[in-house]
Amino acid sequence: MGLLGGTGREGQALALRFAHAGVPVIMGSRSSDRAREIASSLCRRLGHDLISGLENREMIRNSDLIFLTVPFPEAAGAIEVYADSFQEGSILVDTTVPVAFEKGQPKYNELPEGSASEFLAGRLPAKIALAGAFKTIPTHLLGDLTVPLACDVFVYSDFDQARERVMAFAGLIPDLRPINAGGLSAARTVERMTVLAIGINRRYKIKTARFRVIGL
Amino acid sequence: MGLLGGTGREGQALALRFAHAGVPVIMGSRSSDRAREIASSLCRRLGHDLISGLENREMIRNSDLIFLTVPFPEAAGAIEVYADSFQEGSILVDTTVPVAFEKGQPKYNELPEGSASEFLAGRLPAKIALAGAFKTIPTHLLGDLTVPLACDVFVYSDFDQARERVMAFAGLIPDLRPINAGGLSAARTVERMTVLAIGINRRYKIKTARFRVIGL
């Protein structure tokens, strides 16, 4: 799997979790030097060499399952720059959340398309299957391998095969249960759940709020 | 506590849970006969007499914490008819979810106001504090006292005291944890979570999906 803009916080956290679960990860960055440097430093922490680094475009050419891990404000730009490089049938997993802060309170950034994932889907070539996942899991927890995640990851896509593949892939992480959240419009719910969790964190003075479905 | 339109499925389920927890419940209905009849039948099931029945307007005059338990399409009409009867400072707890089904798939009924609770708030006199709760708990589970709920109830309101009172009240139900979900606009998230849960129920062939916050 590859990480588009993977040297940021979300990318590093996903790289650690997946590599820790034994999955080879290619970290992409605008700078191949930076990608390799961060990949090496994460590998040293893990004590193996499952994380490698490449310039974003090279990472895309070598991956058919790619996680978009830039912050939301940079997501559309990244798609515009790199979309041509994607292989036919590639899966892009959106992990962004459009959240803003107003007077210290988290606020969902309402988009005319209904959600970040739907906004991004409209900017992607038809050859790429967009899915969404990992939106509701706090980044710092994802990157802290001493903490079992013990929660669910909501996975959605209008492409059934893409959704199933991302679910199977997410299920490689121990103690994380993938949930089939349905089609792309589920993003309207799942992204807002992240903002709800941030609000809960602030009100309860914690940093760990995340979700689990009961009764399943 | 009172139930506005309490003889329907949601009202009966809430009446059973709260009365089972030792809380006196006044079931409201357009017909006082029907309210008394259903209240008696629920009391027989519980083996005590904590549930009584009154015509809606009488129930409102005798309650300062009222749950709105009609289906969403009837909610605005019920508020229009009964709003004048509310006491100054009454709390109305919206439990409705605007969900429709398209080709068998649950779909959130998007409202210009952003959510059912915000839609209803705009139709209420200023003397009534609107809160939202119990939206994400399946009605049939709520009414099945053999099943521990073992989940969270998300409570929101723009009125802090109303939210705190509803949280304390919901906390009387064993094995149900009230979560402070913030202001009224949280309805946009919480109501959609219900639709997500209905979709999960359908995809996984269950009827019990509900939510718990992990890390709190």
Side-chain angles (χ1 to χ4, degrees):
Chain A
M1 68 98 108
L3 299 167
L4 180 54
T7 55
R9 288 182 63 233
E10 180 75 13
Q12 291 196 35
L14 278 171
L16 281 168
R17 278 284 167 184
F18 276 112
H20 186 61
V23 178
V25 174
I26 307 174
M27 177 161 279
S29 169
R30 277 171 295 185
S31 147
S32 60
D33 284 349
R34 181 162 165 77
R36 274 194 296 267
E37 194 180 294
I38 300 218
S40 301
S41 117
L42 297 182
C43 283
R44 276 193 300 276
R45 275 176 62 184
L46 292 170
H48 59 52
D49 59 358
L50 282 173
I51 307 174
S52 57
L54 286 175
E55 189 272 333
N56 277 325
R57 217 175 297 269
E58 286 301 308
M59 176 279 291
I60 291 170
R61 292 204 188 100
N62 287 279
S63 314
D64 63 352
L65 179 61
I66 295 162
F67 285 71
L68 179 65
T69 54
V70 296
F72 174 70
E74 298 167 29
I79 283 178
E80 197 178 346
V81 171
Y82 298 111
D84 287 348
S85 310
F86 281 83
Q87 299 168 50
E88 180 84 31
S90 285
I91 299 171
L92 182 66
V93 186
D94 171 28
T95 70
T96 67
V97 177
V99 58
F101 289 86
E102 260 180 29
K103 299 176 191 161
Q105 294 302 309
K107 205 171 148 53
Y108 184 66
N109 179 9
E110 309 256 358
L111 295 158
E113 293 81 358
S115 64
S117 290
E118 289 162 290
F119 166 84
L120 295 174
R123 281 150 181 82
L124 275 175
K127 64 180 179 180
I128 306 172
L130 188 69
F134 289 94
K135 296 216 174 195
T136 57
I137 304 172
T139 303
H140 74 95
L141 273 189
L142 206 53
D144 182 353
L145 301 176
T146 65
V147 182
L149 292 176
C151 66
D152 292 340
V153 53
F154 298 93
V155 182
Y156 55 81
S157 177
D158 282 342
F159 300 84
D160 291 347
Q161 287 188 331
R163 189 177 56 241
E164 282 160 24
R165 183 145 176 238
V166 175
M167 286 177 66
F169 202 77
L172 298 172
I173 296 177
D175 216 11
L176 181 67
R177 180 175 63 170
I179 300 274
N180 178 349
L184 200 67
S185 66
R188 299 177 186 198
T189 308
V190 174
E191 292 173 6
R192 283 183 172 86
M193 288 169 73
T194 306
V195 181
L196 175 62
I198 296 170
I200 289 170
N201 281 340
R202 299 202 156 206
R203 282 186 291 278
Y204 289 91
K205 303 193 194 317
I206 55 172
K207 292 181 177 177
T208 49
R210 55 209 191 273
F211 298 95
R212 172 165 272 179
V213 174
I214 306 296
L216 175 61
Chain B
M1 68 98 108
L3 299 167
L4 180 54
T7 55
R9 288 182 63 231
E10 180 75 12
Q12 291 197 33
L14 278 170
L16 281 168
R17 277 285 166 183
F18 275 113
H20 186 62
V23 178
V25 174
I26 307 175
M27 177 160 278
S29 170
R30 277 172 294 184
S31 147
S32 59
D33 284 349
R34 181 163 166 76
R36 274 195 296 267
E37 194 180 295
I38 300 217
S40 300
S41 117
L42 296 183
C43 283
R44 276 193 300 275
R45 274 175 63 183
L46 292 170
H48 59 51
D49 59 358
L50 282 173
I51 308 175
S52 56
L54 286 176
E55 189 272 333
N56 277 326
R57 216 175 297 269
E58 286 301 309
M59 175 280 291
I60 291 170
R61 291 204 188 100
N62 287 279
S63 314
D64 63 351
L65 179 62
I66 295 162
F67 285 71
L68 179 65
T69 53
V70 296
F72 174 70
E74 299 167 29
I79 283 178
E80 197 178 345
V81 170
Y82 298 111
D84 287 348
S85 310
F86 281 83
Q87 299 170 50
E88 180 84 31
S90 284
I91 300 172
L92 182 66
V93 186
D94 171 28
T95 70
T96 67
V97 178
V99 58
F101 288 86
E102 260 180 28
K103 298 176 192 161
Q105 294 302 310
K107 204 171 148 54
Y108 184 66
N109 178 10
E110 309 257 358
L111 296 158
E113 292 81 358
S115 64
S117 291
E118 288 162 291
F119 166 84
L120 296 174
R123 281 151 181 82
L124 274 175
K127 64 180 178 181
I128 307 172
L130 187 69
F134 288 95
K135 297 216 174 195
T136 57
I137 304 173
T139 303
H140 74 95
L141 272 189
L142 206 53
D144 182 353
L145 301 175
T146 65
V147 182
L149 292 176
C151 66
D152 292 340
V153 54
F154 297 93
V155 183
Y156 54 82
S157 177
D158 283 342
F159 300 84
D160 291 347
Q161 287 188 331
R163 188 178 55 242
E164 281 159 25
R165 182 145 176 238
V166 175
M167 287 178 66
F169 202 77
L172 298 172
I173 295 176
D175 216 11
L176 181 66
R177 180 175 62 171
I179 300 274
N180 178 348
L184 201 67
S185 65
R188 299 177 187 197
T189 308
V190 174
E191 293 173 5
R192 283 182 171 88
M193 288 169 72
T194 306
V195 181
L196 176 61
I198 296 170
I200 289 170
N201 280 340
R202 300 202 155 207
R203 283 186 291 279
Y204 288 91
K205 304 193 194 316
I206 56 172
K207 292 181 176 177
T208 48
R210 55 210 191 271
F211 298 95
R212 173 165 271 179
V213 174
I214 306 296
L216 175 60

